[in-house]
Amino acid sequence: MERLPSWIRQHLAALRALLVLTLVTGAIYPLLVTGVAQAVFNGNANGSLLRKEPAQKDGKDVGSALIGQSFTGEDGAPIKKYFQSRPSAGGYDPLASGASNLGPEDVLDTLPVPGAKDDEGNPDTGRQSLLTEVCARSKAVGELEGVSGARPYCTGDGVGAVLKVFPAVGTPTRVVSVNQACPATPFIPVYQGVKVECGRPGEDYSAGRTVPVRGNARAVVPPDAVTASGSGLDPHISVAYAELQAPRVARERGLGLDTVRTLIGRHTTGRALGFMGEPGVNVLELNLDLDRLKG
């Protein structure tokens, strides 16, 4: 070996190091970690899967305690006997995890043009702004729970309360409620002495000044009921949102409200490390417990 040229010895040493490190980091370490995880944290290591009946070893998995899911019927409407999850920008799909990436300045809708088609030949559906998504969700939750779905910056028909004022600078001569498509009645009749018009699909309002109108509504529906989480997979809702849904679930299942609230408390987790974040309620675990309660 000593008679070999130095460059060959260096290459052989590098090759031995590569083989040893590949064995250690590519085989021994992963097998060791996997073995410990399976032995000590079997449920967590396998996805924290939940079954409808825990006693059934061969029972069908119904979801993961770590991933949210929808509780809706085939028509997309909420199933009233279940607690509803937080909205998801990715449809609770782990492969599409992420947020909408829309910010607080996304307040202008693109109204669908009747008879128009998109690039794929489908009917034009326009695009809702983040503000209108929040307003529509709040209105829907309010109707489902029998409370007010009104929010600041939202119209009564569930879209963003936003005006376009012309000209952009100076005394207004024209005002349009851009998120309310004609023949809708604008949420306010007059702005600074000018009659407010409804929005006309396909018309360009970019030259106008954007004016969100706050109004005096007080939000009853909690924020997590109308906004998606950063991952789009959050399995928890706030205690406030769970409490809002409790009367409906109790009524639909014929249970006492105190019974439902006890279950909410059972599935409420505290702040991480005692001080980070807010308490949350695991929706899937709570709904499974409700189903078991009725056998």
Side-chain angles (χ1 to χ4, degrees):
M1 180 70 70
E2 293 297 331
R3 296 178 181 179
L4 294 174
S6 62
W7 68 271
I8 294 181
R9 293 200 303 271
Q10 292 172 357
H11 280 73
L12 289 175
L15 180 60
R16 288 197 297 270
L18 174 63
L19 293 175
V20 170
L21 291 173
T22 299
L23 180 63
V24 172
T25 62
I28 296 176
Y29 177 75
L31 288 173
L32 177 63
V33 171
T34 301
V36 171
Q38 290 294 331
V40 183
F41 309 104
N42 184 267
N44 300 73
N46 289 295
S48 299
L49 299 178
L50 297 176
R51 292 185 172 89
K52 195 172 184 64
E53 293 295 340
Q56 297 177 352
K57 293 183 179 180
D58 298 326
K60 182 180 179 181
D61 295 327
V62 295
S64 168
L66 304 177
I67 299 177
Q69 59 179 266
S70 61
F71 294 90
T72 56
E74 293 182 358
D75 58 355
I79 300 175
K80 293 184 177 181
K81 70 176 183 177
Y82 287 118
F83 282 86
Q84 297 300 304
S85 301
R86 186 174 186 177
S88 170
Y92 310 100
D93 181 359
L95 298 178
S97 174
S100 65
N101 293 325
L102 300 176
E105 294 186 358
D106 187 57
V107 299
L108 298 175
D109 297 354
T110 300
L111 301 177
V113 178
K117 297 182 181 296
D118 60 20
D119 294 339
E120 298 179 355
N122 299 315
D124 178 25
T125 57
R127 188 193 76 85
Q128 286 188 334
S129 63
L130 177 61
L131 176 58
T132 288
E133 286 186 359
V134 167
C135 295
R137 289 167 179 166
S138 189
K139 182 174 182 291
V141 171
E143 292 173 349
L144 179 64
E145 308 302 344
V147 299
S148 171
R151 304 187 82 80
Y153 299 106
C154 294
T155 69
D157 51 356
V159 299
V162 181
L163 302 175
K164 273 291 190 177
V165 179
F166 301 87
V169 179
T171 303
T173 59
R174 185 187 182 202
V175 181
V176 182
S177 177
V178 287
N179 292 340
Q180 292 182 290
C182 293
T185 301
F187 64 96
I188 56 174
V190 177
Y191 177 79
Q192 293 187 4
V194 179
K195 182 180 178 180
V196 179
E197 307 172 16
C198 53
R200 301 185 182 280
E203 190 167 344
D204 184 7
Y205 297 116
S206 59
R209 173 164 53 96
T210 302
V211 180
V213 179
R214 190 181 194 284
N216 56 6
R218 184 181 69 87
V220 174
V221 177
D224 63 306
V226 298
T227 57
S229 63
S231 68
L233 305 176
D234 195 344
H236 298 90
I237 57 175
S238 67
V239 176
Y241 189 24
E243 288 285 351
L244 180 67
Q245 299 184 66
R248 166 182 48 87
V249 173
R251 183 174 60 253
E252 291 293 325
R253 290 179 177 267
L255 298 173
L257 183 56
D258 289 342
T259 300
V260 175
R261 285 176 170 165
T262 298
L263 289 179
I264 290 174
R266 185 181 302 170
H267 294 285
T268 299
T269 57
R271 293 177 172 87
L273 301 180
F275 68 94
M276 293 192 300
E278 296 292 333
V281 181
N282 191 292
V283 181
L284 177 57
E285 291 180 347
L286 175 57
N287 283 334
L288 286 176
D289 237 7
L290 283 165
D291 284 345
R292 294 177 191 130
L293 195 62
K294 298 297 289 184

